[in-house]
Amino acid sequence: MSSQPEIPPENKLPIKASGLLRSSGLVGSMTMLSRVLGLIRDMVIARYFGAGAGADAFFVAFKIPNFLRRLFAEGAFSQAFVPVLSSYRQNHPVSDVKRLVDAVAGSLGLVLLGITLVAMLGAPLLTAVFAPGFLDDDVKFRLTSDMLRITFPYLLMISLTAFAGGILNSYDRFAVPAFTPVLLNLAMIAAAIYLTPLMSEPVMALAWGVFIAGALQLFFQLPFLMRLGLMPRPRVDYRHEGVSRILKLMMPALFGVSVSQINLLLDTVLASFLQTGSVSWLYYSDRLSELPLGVFGIAIATVILPSLSRKHAADSREQFAATLDWAVRAVLIIGVPAALALALLAEPLIATLFHYGEVTDRDVAMSAQSLRAYSAGLLAFMVIKVLAPGFFARQDTRTPVKIGIIAMVANMIFNLALIVPLAHAGLALATSLSAWLNAMLLWRGLKRQGAWKSQPGWGKYLLQIGLANAAMVAVIIWLNYPVVRWLSADGIERSLCMGVMVVASASAYFIVLALTGVRVRHFRQR
């Protein structure tokens, strides 16, 4: 039992009660909208810029602040901030929660502002570090450095957005943070269409689209914080007890929660040494693999972290273990068929979404190779997302950091072993292999610490999923066309054929699940 005194109800902010399945569905639906728009965004980029030098330069200039966003804002910071905020909400009055929010806003904002200014001044150095292969190409190097000065402030704005989203998520207001990424895609689509003709260097329009998106996302969330009564009044106070705890948790969490993102960035660094187009091929294939990861894996992880943090604060160990078990089962039911579908339909998917304008048949074939390699690790990426909160909710950051370092070293070894025979696809496969190692070590750590306890029914559940996936694969093989036909068809024909195949295979999957006894009610947990 907690030794903290009971906080009177009038000194607590209201909490919206909802089941994990319902909340995950809400976040997943908002994320699905964002990911679909993201695919449309990438289709627009592919049509306007293809996989040439300009596209390679932009993807690096965007990936650097985007990587840091995932590493700091949505990764280490969120995993450290949400448990501390949940603890304050559970054991302190509203006035203390507000002081924590103010102190974090001021302290985080000052650090981010300093990092942003330094990065903008040192853009050429950052380009040399993250894309050393561009040093021999003056056009790529100059473009990347110029765009990085425009895109890097996105880190400042999106990190503050993630801070606001962390507050909203902690009070079970999941919809607004989940919808916010939609604004990024809309801004970039509009920039590609309307700003490109106005730029002397057309690809610069995408960089300005990123900058505008950062501002839109931040200001969109502020009214909802005001409605909750937690609109920050920034105050720099690094000695605040809550800020100190967050900083201590953040340092090791940088590795523990974002290893897959670090590995993807290392892929970009090594790909910059390969032939022109390699960075773009990895980008397009990574975007497709991130669709199920974002819609389901990250959605479930977003929902369970506040829930696990509250269960840990209340010392509900059995419920804590049951929640983790529920999350892994929920990931499997989507992750396994998604990975199989991406592997079987690599060329058709790439052709349907990106084979327009400047994208050639060869670009489709090369992107499909890395997509298959990423699909091999998709389930591991999703499992990592739901297992990592099992450590961070208990404010244990040492175990994930040890595992993260092991996975990073393994990824570099796999990279060096596979890049020569498989080129860019070898980099993607190395990332997948290291993700499996990471997931297995996280699972073993939770089991040893007693935080993970398998619930009854796993054998039957795996058999049900196996039969359903076999039915789905059979339908895909039956309906699929030769690659040549996908490449020669026009966009409408490709879209119609892909739509029929997706609907038919998904229907077969869920029908078999239903016939074997899987029901929605089995996944309802409050």
Side-chain angles (χ1 to χ4, degrees):
M1 298 294 293
S2 172
S3 61
Q4 295 286 345
E6 181 67 23
I7 306 300
E10 63 271 15
N11 286 333
K12 290 186 176 182
L13 290 171
I15 300 171
K16 294 172 67 176
S18 58
L20 293 181
L21 180 62
R22 180 182 177 185
S23 297
S24 299
L26 177 63
V27 175
S29 62
M30 293 293 101
T31 307
M32 173 65 83
L33 174 62
S34 173
R35 298 291 173 158
V36 169
L37 284 172
L39 288 175
I40 296 173
R41 176 196 79 190
D42 293 334
M43 292 168 66
V44 172
I45 293 174
R47 179 180 289 272
Y48 278 81
F49 305 104
D56 279 4
F58 168 72
F59 291 142
V60 172
F62 183 41
K63 180 160 284 191
I64 294 172
N66 207 36
F67 159 73
L68 293 174
R69 166 183 70 86
R70 293 178 176 181
L71 188 65
F72 291 103
E74 295 177 357
F77 173 74
S78 292
Q79 299 288 9
F81 174 61
V82 171
V84 173
L85 181 61
S86 296
S87 176
Y88 264 71
R89 191 190 69 181
Q90 185 83 12
N91 302 314
H92 295 265
V94 175
S95 57
D96 287 351
V97 175
K98 289 181 177 178
R99 277 192 287 271
L100 172 66
V101 168
D102 294 344
V104 172
S107 305
L108 175 68
L110 182 62
V111 171
L112 289 170
L113 180 61
I115 292 174
T116 300
L117 293 175
V118 171
M120 292 174 69
L121 292 173
L125 179 60
L126 279 176
T127 302
V129 170
F130 287 98
F134 288 4
L135 288 171
D136 296 329
D137 190 323
D138 292 339
V139 174
K140 280 187 180 180
F141 188 85
R142 176 186 58 79
L143 271 176
T144 305
S145 299
D146 290 344
M147 285 192 285
L148 188 56
R149 291 190 178 95
I150 301 171
T151 60
F152 207 92
Y154 176 75
L155 174 64
L156 168 63
M157 293 181 284
I158 202 62
S159 296
L160 294 176
T161 301
F163 163 65
I167 298 173
L168 294 170
N169 284 337
S170 293
Y171 287 88
D172 293 349
R173 272 68 169 181
F174 297 110
V176 174
F179 176 79
T180 300
V182 169
L183 301 175
L184 169 66
N185 297 319
L186 292 175
M188 291 186 65
I189 291 170
I193 296 173
Y194 298 110
L195 292 184
T196 296
L198 306 178
M199 299 286 170
S200 57
E201 192 68 64
V203 76
M204 295 292 288
L206 297 177
W208 283 110
V210 172
F211 181 90
I212 294 168
L216 289 175
Q217 290 174 291
L218 175 59
F219 289 107
F220 174 71
Q221 292 199 359
L222 297 185
F224 298 95
L225 286 181
M226 294 176 65
R227 186 179 303 174
L228 193 60
L230 288 175
M231 179 68 178
R233 300 179 65 179
R235 178 171 55 89
V236 179
D237 184 4
Y238 293 103
R239 290 181 295 180
H240 187 284
E241 187 269 342
V243 174
S244 299
R245 283 170 60 191
I246 291 169
L247 289 175
K248 289 178 181 178
L249 292 172
M250 274 187 69
M251 292 303 105
L254 290 175
F255 291 94
V257 76
S258 302
V259 169
S260 62
Q261 296 305 320
I262 295 172
N263 291 341
L264 289 172
L265 188 65
L266 292 175
D267 290 351
T268 302
V269 172
L270 294 174
S272 70
F273 289 100
L274 301 176
Q275 59 183 306
T276 296
S278 296
V279 174
S280 299
W281 299 331
L282 285 170
Y283 175 83
Y284 291 133
S285 55
D286 175 47
R287 289 292 298 162
L288 269 176
S289 66
E290 281 197 353
L291 178 60
L293 174 63
V295 172
F296 301 103
I298 296 176
I300 293 171
T302 299
V303 169
I304 66 169
L305 178 59
S307 177
L308 289 173
S309 299
R310 290 196 293 267
K311 288 176 171 60
H312 175 67
D315 200 25
S316 301
R317 296 183 181 181
E318 293 299 322
Q319 292 184 23
F320 188 100
T323 300
L324 276 178
D325 185 89
W326 172 90
V328 174
R329 294 193 192 209
V331 158
L332 287 180
I333 205 167
I334 296 298
V336 175
L340 290 172
L342 288 177
L344 292 170
L345 297 173
E347 283 92 354
L349 284 169
I350 296 289
T352 301
L353 294 171
F354 304 124
H355 193 215
Y356 307 96
E358 299 296 323
V359 176
T360 66
D361 290 358
R362 183 169 180 271
D363 292 329
V364 173
M366 294 296 102
S367 297
Q369 290 179 13
S370 47
L371 178 56
R372 285 197 177 90
Y374 280 136
S375 71
L378 175 62
L379 184 59
F381 297 142
M382 297 177 75
V383 169
I384 289 168
K385 290 296 182 183
V386 299
L387 291 185
F391 293 95
F392 295 113
R394 295 180 294 122
Q395 301 185 27
D396 171 13
T397 55
R398 292 186 178 182
T399 303
V401 74
K402 294 176 183 177
I403 294 172
I405 292 173
I406 293 171
M408 283 181 60
V409 173
N411 181 67
M412 287 306 300
I413 294 173
F414 292 143
N415 276 336
L416 296 175
L418 297 173
I419 190 172
V420 175
L422 299 177
H424 70 289
L427 300 177
L429 183 58
T431 300
S432 294
L433 292 174
S434 64
W436 276 111
L437 176 63
N438 191 6
M440 291 172 62
L441 292 175
L442 287 173
W443 173 78
R444 189 179 69 172
L446 288 170
K447 190 174 181 181
R448 284 182 174 179
Q449 294 176 4
W452 166 279
K453 293 181 182 178
S454 297
Q455 306 299 302
W458 263 103
K460 179 182 178 181
Y461 184 64
L462 291 176
L463 178 60
Q464 291 167 324
I465 290 180
L467 292 173
N469 278 286
M472 183 199 72
V473 168
V475 171
I476 290 176
I477 294 174
W478 175 45
L479 294 177
N480 199 7
Y481 296 125
V483 175
V484 175
R485 183 170 175 183
W486 286 100
L487 295 175
S488 60
D490 59 31
I492 295 176
E493 182 181 354
R494 288 197 296 256
S495 299
L496 289 175
C497 292
M498 181 58 67
V500 169
M501 191 152 43
V502 168
V503 170
S505 58
S507 298
Y509 178 72
F510 287 108
I511 287 172
V512 173
L513 280 181
L515 291 175
T516 56
V518 177
R519 299 290 184 269
V520 173
R521 66 175 182 269
H522 297 157
F523 292 90
R524 290 198 179 104
Q525 184 185 68
R526 299 195 68 80

